Every structure is written in C-alpha cells, then in structure tokens.
Amino acid sequence: MQSRAFSGLPIIGLLTLVYFIAGKFGLMLASLHASASPVWPPTGIALAALLVLGYRAWPAIFVGAFLVNASTAGNVATSLAVASGNTLEAMCGAWLVNRFAGGTTAFGRPQGVFKFALAAVVSTIISPAFGVTSLALAGFADWANYGAIWLTWWLGDATSDLLIAPLIILWSIASKRRWNRREAVEVGILLLLLFVLSEAVFGGWLTISAKNYPIAFSCGAIVIWTAFRFTQRETATGIFILSAIAIWGTLHGFGPFAEKTENQSLLALQYWTAVVTITAMALSAGMAERGRAEEALRESEARTNLAANAANLGLWLWNIPGDELWVTEKWRKLFGFADSEPVKFDRLLQVVHPGDRERMKQLVQHMFEHGGEYESEYRITRPDGSTRWILGHGSVELDERGKPAFARGVSRDITKRKIAEEELRESEARFRTVADSAPVLIWMSGPDKLCTFFNKGWLDFTGRTMEQELGKGWTEGVHADDLDHCLEVYGNSFNARQPFTMEYRLRRNDGEYRWLLDNGTPRFASDGAFLGYIGSCIGITERKLAEEKFRLVIDAAPNAMIMVDSAGVISFANAPAATVFGYSLSELIGRHIETLIPERFRDRHAGYRKGFLSQPSSRAMGAGRDLFGRRKDGSEFPVEVGLNPIHTTEGLFVLASVIDITARKQAELEHERQNIELVRVGRVAVMGELAASLAHEVNNPIGAIVANASAGERLLAAGKIGTEEMAELLADIVADGRRAGEIVQGIRTMVRKGKARRSLVQINDTIDSLLRIVRAEALGRNVTVTTEVDSDAGQVWGDPVQLLQVFLNLAMNAFEAMTALPSNALCLVIRADRNENGDVLVRVRDSGNGFPSGLAEQLFEPFFSTKAEGTGMGLAIARGIIEAHGGTISAENFDGGGACFTVRLPQAKEDNSQAA
C-alpha cells in the first residue's frame, strides 16, 4: 500500500502545480470579481484528470484550488469552501460522465458527446454555488452582484469542461491512426487557414463589430472540415487553437464579441465557443462512428466473401426491374463469365444446359408471381464445352405493389456430388443384382432400426412383397414364441453397434415355419458414421431336427451328460446332470463349466481344457488323478469324466459324461481300512509269536542264571562257599548269559533276513501309496488330508518299504497328535518338492498343539516319547532309516499351531539299482 501511495505522489504534485498555474492564469482575466473568471481552465483539467487517473487524484484538485484562492481574495474559510466546491464539482462531473456517457470513450459517438456536455453543464453548478455563496457570506462579494458573479463563474467552468477536458482526454489515449504525407499536408493547410481566419476575425485585421457577429462562424467552417476529415483529437485541437486566438483578440477589443466591458465580451465569446465545441465534437464523433460502421461493413463483406469462396459459393444479387445482376468473382469463375462481361438473365439462360433451360424459365416465372425462396439443380455448359451441375438457392422479394423487386442467392458447383450419386445408384444396382442371386436371405436396415431392403431370396421365401416387409413388416412372419427374444437380441446389438447371431422361426410362403440362423453386422461409413445393419439368413431346420434327436438320446442316458463349447460355456445338459450337481436345467445352460469344479482346481482346469481342444479325442479326463465335482450347495464329490469331441458347423463342442463315484469310493475306503486292520492284526500276531518264541528260548538260560545266582547267595549267607566254588558259579552264570544273548542275536538275524536291496523310488508314487494306506484312517478320524506335490518332486535311491514305513509313522503320529481337537479343525498337509540344492523335501504337518518347546532333538532319541502309552522307538527307528539313506529328519512347531516333520533325501543321479 505504501509503494502505491508513494508512486502516485509525483503525479499528485504535478497535477497540483498545473492546476495552480492554470488557476492563476484564469484569475488574471477576472474583472467582475477577483475570484470569478469567464475563462477558467482548471475545471477542464480537473475533470480530465479524474476521468484519466481516477478518483484518487482529487487531493491535487483540492490543494490546487485552495492555494489559488488563498492567494487571491477571501480568507482561509472561503478558500476551503471554494476548494471543496471545485473538488466536488470535478468528482460529480466525472461520475456523471462515467455513469452515463461512457467515461473516456464519450467522444466516440454523438450521443456520448451530448451526454458529456450535459454532465458538464449540470456538474459546474456546484462550484459557483459553493464559491459565490461563501464569498458573499464572508463579505468578500456584494450580494447585489451575486447573479452576475455566479453566471460568470458557472460559464467559465462549463466552457472549460467542454473545451479543455476533451483535449486532454483525447491526447491521453494512444491513437491508432497512421499519418501519410497527403494527410500531413492537409492538416498543415487546415492549421494555416484556421490561423488566417482566426486572425482576420479576432486579430484586428478587419474592422468587425458586434453587429457582424455571424462572421465568427466562418472560422467554424475550418473546424467542421477538420471534423469531417480527421479524428476527434484533431478536432478538439483545432477548437482549442481557435478559442485561444479568439480570447486574445477579444481581450484586445477585436472581433465580433467585443463589448463595453471585458467580462461581457468574454461571456459572449464563451457562449459561442461552447456552441462551436459541442457542434464540432458531435459531428466528429458521428463521422468516427460512420467510419467504424463502414469498416465493420467492409470486414463483414470480406468475411462473407471469404466464407463463400471457402465453401465454393458464388453470390449474386439481381435487380429485376433493371435486369442487372451483381455477382462475385467466384460466381463468374463458376459460370465462365469474364470479369468485365455484363450479366443479364437472358445471357445466363444461354449458359444453362438446353435440357434444363425451359425448367429454369418456368421456375423464375413462378418466383416472380409468388415470391419467396426456391432451390433448384440444373446443368450449365462452360466455355470449354464441359458440363457442370449447379445448385442454386435464392429468394425473391416483392415491392408494395406485389411486383418482383430484386432477388438474391448463392450458386454452388455440385458436379462431384452428382457423379457420386450416380456411382452410388450404379453400386446399389450391382448390389441388388448380387444379393438377389445369392443363395441366402439378405436384409438391410437403416440407423433407425427399420429395415430398408430384402433380397429376392427373402421375398420368395416369405411370399410377400417388398412394401409388406419394409420397416417392421418382416416381424409379422416371425413365430410368436421367438419374436420377443428376436427383437431383444436385435435391439441390444443395435444399441451397442455389435454383430449378433440369433435363431428364430420364420413363416414360409406355404405357411410352415422354418428355422433360420441370422447373422447381423453393423455398417459404417468411411468417416465412421453408423449406417445401420446388414444381415444374412440360412436355413437350419434340418440341423434343429438332428439336434432334437441328439437331445432325446442324451436325455435318455443314465449318466450326467454336459455339452460345452470352445469357450467353456455349457450349451446343453440332461436331467441326470441337473440332479447330480443340484442345479435346474435352466441354471446350467449358459454357465461356465468351471462353476462345477472345486475352487482349488479351477485355475488349472482352463489349461487342461485348452490342451484337450488343441488335440481333441475321445478319452477319460484326468487319467491318474482323483477328480471332484462341486454341487450348487458347495459340497464336493468324486467323479469320473469321459470326454468326446463333437464337430459342428458352429465349431468344436465337447460332450462330457460325468459319473458320481461317491459310493464306489466309500466301498474302496472300507476295503482299504479292512486290509489295514488285517495287516495290523497280523503284525500283532507275529509280534506275539515272536515274543512267545523269544520268551521260550531265553527262559532256560535265564532260569539257569537265576538258579546259580540263588545258590551262590545261599552259600555266601551260610559261609560255606570258597573261592573256587564262587568262581565256578560265576562262570556258569556268564555262560548262561552268553547263551541267552546268542539266542536273541539269532532271532534278530532271522527277522532281518539279510541285507536289503535298494532301487529308484519316485517320491510321487510313495506319497500316493501313503495316501491309499491312511485314507481309511483319515476318514475315520474326520481328518482332511491335503497334498501339495510338485509335478517334478524328484526321485531317490532307497528301500521303498522302509521309506513308506517312515512316512506312515509320521502320518500316524500326526493323527494321534490331533485327537483332542474338534473335527472341523483336523487337517493334515503333505508337501513334496525340492530345495535350492536339488534335494528332495517331504513335509508332514498337522494342525494339533505341537510338541513342548526345546524337545526337537530329543524326540528322535530311543525310548523317549511325549505320549503316555508310547514306546519311544518309532521316531528313533525313522531317523535310523533316513540317515541310512543319506538324509536327515527334523521337527519344528508353527506359530499358527501344529508340528511339521521334514525329511530331506538326496536326489538320485543314476537310473540303475544298487545295493543299500
């Protein structure tokens, strides 16, 4: 804020100084009263300053007026009153000009000049009212001369607004005029004439009295000339020069306004100056407005010609009574007329093609009689002999007597359009010929969905005419049961601008309904504009009959039968399929086949389906894998699936036969459970026999040892045994002990049956064997067994029986670890893959409570068990077997619950058997 105020101080100071100097100059011409002058330039300066600089310049006016009046007549109070009146007068005048006359643009139009003059006359009432009244009240002015002083004061202020303010405002605005030499010479002549006439009238060159006052207006002729030839700025400048010379001459007693007193002379002069100023400025503004209008008209005509030329249009205007045609240059080039050649209607008719000439005459005669607008297409013959098509559009206006007065219009060359239309007609004719000879039914529609064409094949099939079928007439032949679906497919595809295929029955000319396959394709212009649809129909009644027979056969099948297209969408299903999967037939049709597959297998099924479609053949699905289906309620069940490819005109389909094998799987599980139980019973029996045999064989040596030891104890108690006798007893005991050991070693050797032979073992196969063994146990315990076996889990060298025994032991331990958990939380996960070194890893993880922390290594020690009834030998034997195979076994607890046992075995490098 401070910088803005400071930047305005120089302007305020300069304006104050200018106002003060102009005020002192004006008071030099005061005669009636020291403070009232008929020539008062500060008023015009103040008004111009506020209009150009804004209201913020008012302090300069106030200070300048105060200093002028304080240094003249009156006192401080009257000086303040006069300064207030002058400032308020300027601000009021500026507000009126801004509000009603357009501000600094007031001199652009005559209305603005008159409004500016009115604002000046009204606003200058304020200053004399303040000034004269304050001087009279203070005794510095005689009340008897109040009216004369007030009039002198007001006329000086008003004339200053009319003369000085426009001069300053117009010179403060940058001019767009560019002076040439001729205009500069003309201005020089005007200034010279103005000076000569001014000196002649007001300089004393001629003896002129008040009786000759009209001669003063001879000077105004130069000002009027300036107003006609130049801008408002030059006009205001000329008026100022004339006024300055007139004031000087009048003060010296020359000119028609010289009166008895100096004040009366200047008052008369100022009246005349005001009239000349308003007249000249209004005339100059009018000329400027006319210039702008002419410039706008020229620009409008230039734009019209430019647009007409760009659009290849020839403009014309016909004065009918005088038979004169005004035409543009483009029209002449279009019709082949020379630039200077006159254009008459008869001459124009000579250019019109003879085949269209009579029609042109009749059209013109009709327009003469009725007026109004018309449009016509006709041919012309150009001077080079070529023929061009012209599109003419015009209108005829009648006079007050109803006679044709004039016509105006445009002409455009449409030869290319006519050629294109002819080519289009030829193309349509060729299309109709081809379409009518096609062995299919063809139709076309426009962008409004209404049909516009049917070929001969369609009309012969339906036995109806083109008029009957156009629009929506073709729907009358569609079977009532198919119509709604047909219209829905057509409407939806039309709105989406997408191709469509639909099947419906259409009535043949003999009244029989036949099935059609309708393929519709959208049509687009070269610029992308939508043109409608074109479609073709072929008969599929025989195919429909064959499909119906096929459907009847499939429906009669006892198994679930599902037909799937190449995209995996179910196109057909029989009643058993709906029963097996829990869906209705309407729900199955249109679903993706993956809906009937458990979620954990869906991501892989798409790849299986793609592989089958690449090499289609009749075969069982998922050979070597357990397959499962998913019912509508989310439950899963085991299935067997047979796949059969079916090739149709619509592409490759797959017919799947699905059998629910839940009952068979339950029987197999029961059989496996019985086998496991028999194995367990046999193992118990063998262990019993082995224990009995061991007890029988060892009983005698142990009995002898006990007897000898008892005898030695009695002899020692009686003190009847010597050293030799004790040595003999001890020797007998040692012998009996060695004999018992030999018996145990012999039984052990018998059980081991010598050294085992190792072979190449596929981990995948071992896991599959394990799953078959534990399946029954898992079902009995309600445990969910999940396997995550890598397709390339690897192979190892080892004893398959021993390795299976290790994994079986881990699985059984896992079952026992989850005994206390609820049935919905029982989960066993078996994972097989390889680590970064290529070693085979097999992990067995349960969802139990895990083992006590800190016992991960102690678990594999002999005779250590976390179970009350455990022997503590299972994991120890398992570690011995794994280490004998060059691997390791470890255990760890998981944060989420449960324990995980990991077996690492080296990957096999050779493909031949070797001894363990």
Side-chain angles (χ1 to χ4, degrees):
M1 293 296 292
Q2 293 179 352
S3 61
R4 288 182 62 186
F6 178 79
S7 64
L9 287 178
I11 297 177
I12 297 297
L14 179 60
L15 181 58
T16 302
L17 179 61
V18 170
Y19 189 97
F20 179 79
I21 294 173
K24 298 304 287 183
F25 170 76
L27 292 180
M28 291 172 59
L29 304 179
S31 59
L32 182 62
H33 188 275
S35 296
S37 173
V39 179
W40 185 247
T43 300
I45 295 173
L47 178 60
L50 292 182
L51 289 175
V52 175
L53 301 178
Y55 297 111
R56 63 192 182 97
W58 71 267
I61 301 170
F62 182 84
V63 174
F66 176 78
L67 294 176
V68 170
N69 287 276
S71 60
T72 310
N75 52 26
V76 174
T78 58
S79 298
L80 289 174
V82 172
S84 299
N86 291 357
T87 305
L88 185 59
E89 174 186 81
M91 295 187 69
C92 180
W95 183 86
L96 289 173
V97 173
N98 285 326
R99 177 66 176 81
F100 298 104
T104 56
T105 64
F107 309 104
R109 300 171 66 241
Q111 298 93 323
V113 172
F114 291 122
K115 291 178 180 179
F116 178 87
L118 182 61
V121 171
V122 173
S123 62
T124 49
I125 297 175
I126 299 174
S127 180
F130 273 69
V132 178
T133 303
S134 62
L135 290 172
L137 290 174
F140 294 100
D142 189 359
W143 284 102
N145 291 331
Y146 183 92
I149 298 173
W150 190 96
L151 179 60
T152 300
W153 195 312
W154 170 78
L155 185 58
D157 287 0
T159 307
S160 178
D161 275 351
L162 295 174
L163 182 65
I164 303 299
L167 180 67
I168 297 175
I169 293 172
L170 292 171
W171 277 97
S172 68
I173 300 174
S175 176
K176 298 180 180 180
R177 186 183 183 94
R178 295 294 179 264
W179 293 80
N180 55 41
R181 184 174 181 180
R182 185 181 62 80
E183 291 175 335
V185 172
E186 185 177 359
V187 168
I189 294 173
L190 284 174
L191 290 177
L192 179 60
L193 289 175
L194 181 63
F195 178 79
V196 170
L197 285 177
S198 298
E199 284 294 326
V201 175
F202 298 101
W205 292 1
L206 301 176
T207 303
I208 300 174
S209 65
K211 296 180 180 180
N212 306 116
Y213 75 90
I215 199 173
F217 288 97
S218 62
C219 300
I222 305 302
V223 177
I224 299 303
W225 185 3
T226 306
F228 268 105
R229 295 290 297 143
F230 299 98
T231 66
Q232 299 93 312
R233 182 164 63 176
E234 287 76 25
T235 302
T237 303
I239 296 173
F240 175 77
I241 294 173
L242 174 61
S243 176
I245 296 175
I247 291 174
W248 179 85
T250 301
L251 288 175
H252 289 78
F254 303 122
F257 301 108
E259 299 288 345
K260 296 179 180 180
T261 65
E262 182 180 298
N263 190 70
Q264 291 177 346
S265 300
L266 290 177
L267 288 178
L269 175 63
Q270 294 295 65
Y271 279 124
W272 174 81
T273 301
V275 172
V276 172
T277 300
I278 295 174
T279 303
M281 292 302 296
L283 181 59
S284 178
M287 295 302 298
E289 186 175 31
R290 176 183 175 183
R292 290 193 300 271
E294 291 176 348
E295 180 64 24
L297 180 60
R298 285 192 295 271
E299 292 180 359
S300 177
E301 290 179 351
R303 288 194 297 267
T304 301
N305 288 332
L306 180 62
N309 292 337
N312 198 27
L313 297 177
L315 308 181
W316 54 267
L317 179 64
W318 184 13
N319 179 7
I320 298 174
D323 192 18
E324 293 179 350
L325 274 167
W326 172 88
V327 295
T328 61
E329 181 181 357
K330 189 69 176 179
W331 190 95
R332 290 182 177 275
K333 291 181 179 179
L334 189 62
F335 283 80
F337 280 72
D339 293 342
S340 59
E341 182 179 0
V343 182
K344 303 287 185 178
F345 179 70
D346 291 338
R347 177 69 179 90
L348 175 61
L349 282 178
Q350 295 176 6
V351 178
V352 177
H353 191 277
D356 299 331
R357 195 171 295 163
E358 187 61 30
R359 180 168 55 86
M360 173 69 77
K361 290 181 179 180
Q362 295 175 0
L363 176 63
V364 172
Q365 184 62 35
H366 177 78
M367 297 305 298
F368 283 175
E369 295 174 358
H370 302 283
E373 297 184 357
Y374 77 95
E375 184 174 283
S376 65
E377 296 179 358
Y378 55 93
R379 291 164 293 174
I380 64 171
T381 303
R382 291 173 52 83
D384 59 2
S386 62
T387 300
R388 310 293 292 179
W389 275 96
I390 302 297
L391 172 63
H393 182 86
S395 62
V396 175
E397 295 190 13
L398 306 179
D399 59 18
E400 63 277 2
R401 297 174 298 171
K403 300 296 183 180
F406 62 89
R408 63 171 64 89
V410 296
S411 300
R412 182 162 62 93
D413 188 344
I414 58 171
T415 305
K416 292 183 179 180
R417 193 193 80 185
K418 282 293 185 178
I419 295 175
E421 290 176 353
E422 182 62 27
E423 293 176 349
L424 179 61
R425 282 193 293 270
E426 294 178 358
S427 176
E428 289 178 349
R430 289 193 297 269
F431 169 77
R432 289 178 182 273
T433 302
V434 173
D436 287 341
S437 61
V440 297
L441 280 61
I442 299 176
W443 57 268
M444 292 180 64
S445 68
D448 56 357
K449 299 184 182 180
L450 299 179
C451 289
T452 59
F453 170 77
F454 294 92
N455 72 336
K456 185 175 182 297
W458 180 289
L459 299 178
D460 290 345
F461 180 88
T462 59
R464 289 160 59 90
T465 64
M466 180 72 75
E467 290 72 19
Q468 290 175 316
E469 296 291 85
L470 291 178
K472 295 183 179 180
W474 65 275
T475 59
E476 298 175 3
V478 179
H479 195 283
D481 295 341
D482 303 333
L483 181 58
D484 290 341
H485 174 69
C486 179
L487 294 178
E488 179 182 1
V489 172
Y490 178 71
N492 293 340
S493 302
F494 199 101
N495 294 334
R497 308 290 194 263
Q498 294 294 328
F500 67 85
T501 298
M502 61 181 176
E503 299 176 358
Y504 58 90
R505 286 164 289 183
L506 187 66
R507 187 174 58 244
R508 198 167 56 183
N509 52 24
D510 59 1
E512 181 182 352
Y513 284 95
R514 305 290 289 180
W515 280 99
L516 298 180
L517 175 63
D518 195 338
N519 292 281
T521 303
R523 298 182 297 123
F524 297 95
S526 57
D527 59 356
F530 176 63
L531 302 178
Y533 268 74
I534 183 172
S536 62
C537 306
I538 60 173
I540 58 171
T541 302
E542 289 72 18
R543 193 198 78 186
K544 281 290 186 178
L545 294 175
E547 288 179 354
E548 185 61 25
K549 294 178 181 179
F550 175 77
R551 185 183 302 274
L552 293 174
V553 173
I554 296 301
D555 278 339
N559 300 334
M561 307 296 289
I562 299 175
M563 183 176 287
V564 183
D565 63 16
S566 58
V569 178
I570 299 173
S571 60
F572 171 77
N574 64 354
T579 303
V580 168
F581 288 98
Y583 290 91
S584 65
L585 287 177
S586 60
E587 291 176 327
L588 280 177
I589 304 301
R591 286 183 176 270
H592 276 272
I593 189 63
E594 279 75 14
T595 306
L596 308 181
I597 299 173
E599 293 184 1
R600 64 180 186 275
F601 301 124
R602 288 180 185 174
D603 55 344
R604 287 173 282 178
H605 186 266
Y608 297 150
R609 178 161 50 81
K610 184 177 181 181
F612 178 84
L613 294 175
S614 64
Q615 295 180 343
S617 63
S618 298
R619 61 177 182 265
M621 177 180 174
R625 302 195 308 270
D626 290 333
L627 303 181
F628 293 89
R630 183 179 184 276
R631 297 186 180 91
K632 182 179 180 181
D633 59 6
S635 61
E636 300 179 6
F637 60 98
V639 296
E640 283 185 354
V641 181
L643 302 178
N644 294 279
I646 298 178
H647 297 274
T648 70
T649 56
E650 298 180 9
L652 177 63
F653 287 78
V654 180
L655 180 63
S657 173
V658 183
I659 302 176
D660 184 353
I661 59 172
T662 302
R664 184 202 304 173
K665 286 292 184 180
Q666 290 177 348
E668 291 177 354
L669 290 175
E670 183 63 26
H671 180 68
E672 290 180 3
R673 177 177 293 181
Q674 292 175 0
N675 289 341
I676 292 175
E677 184 65 19
L678 289 175
V679 171
R680 188 183 67 80
V681 172
R683 185 166 51 187
V684 172
V686 171
M687 291 299 295
E689 293 175 0
L690 181 62
S693 174
L694 182 63
H696 180 271
E697 295 295 332
V698 180
N699 186 46
N700 289 332
I702 292 178
I705 291 172
V706 172
N708 289 330
S710 297
E713 184 180 14
R714 287 194 302 271
L715 291 175
L716 285 175
K720 296 179 179 182
I721 186 170
T723 304
E724 293 181 359
E725 295 174 334
M726 179 60 71
E728 291 177 357
L729 286 174
L730 292 176
D732 291 339
I733 292 172
V734 170
D736 291 335
R738 287 176 178 174
R739 187 159 61 88
E742 290 174 356
I743 293 172
V744 173
Q745 182 64 33
I747 295 174
R748 180 181 178 188
T749 302
M750 178 188 66
V751 172
R752 291 185 60 184
K753 298 180 181 179
K755 294 183 178 180
R757 300 286 298 178
R758 295 186 179 178
S759 61
L760 191 64
V761 179
Q762 298 290 338
I763 290 299
N764 294 6
D765 297 338
T766 303
I767 298 300
D768 290 341
S769 300
L770 173 64
L771 293 176
R772 286 194 294 271
I773 294 173
V774 302
R775 181 179 288 112
E777 187 71 14
L779 290 175
R781 294 175 177 265
N782 291 325
V783 177
T784 300
V785 179
T786 303
T787 60
E788 298 177 4
V789 181
D790 195 329
S791 60
D792 189 20
Q795 55 189 7
V796 298
W797 288 104
D799 188 333
V801 176
Q802 290 182 349
L803 293 177
L804 179 61
Q805 185 63 31
V806 170
F807 298 146
L808 179 60
N809 179 270
L810 296 178
M812 298 303 293
N813 287 345
F815 287 156
E816 294 175 0
M818 296 184 290
T819 302
L821 297 180
S823 59
N824 59 356
L826 304 179
C827 180
L828 175 65
V829 179
I830 301 174
R831 181 182 295 120
D833 52 14
R834 287 193 290 176
N835 63 11
E836 62 273 12
N837 297 325
D839 296 335
V840 177
L841 299 180
V842 179
R843 301 180 180 88
V844 180
R845 178 182 175 183
D846 59 62
S847 59
N849 297 321
F851 52 83
S853 60
L855 302 180
E857 291 295 329
Q858 196 174 357
L859 290 175
F860 300 96
E861 295 181 0
F863 304 108
F864 177 82
S865 177
T866 59
K867 299 178 290 185
E869 68 280 5
T871 63
M873 293 300 295
L875 290 177
I877 294 173
R879 183 169 67 175
I881 293 173
I882 295 302
E883 291 178 350
H885 284 73
T888 60
I889 183 171
S890 60
E892 62 180 331
N893 283 326
F894 274 83
D895 295 337
C900 179
F901 288 80
T902 303
V903 174
R904 182 192 62 80
L905 294 170
Q907 167 78 0
K909 302 298 183 181
E910 300 177 5
D911 194 14
N912 60 322
S913 301
Q914 60 184 17

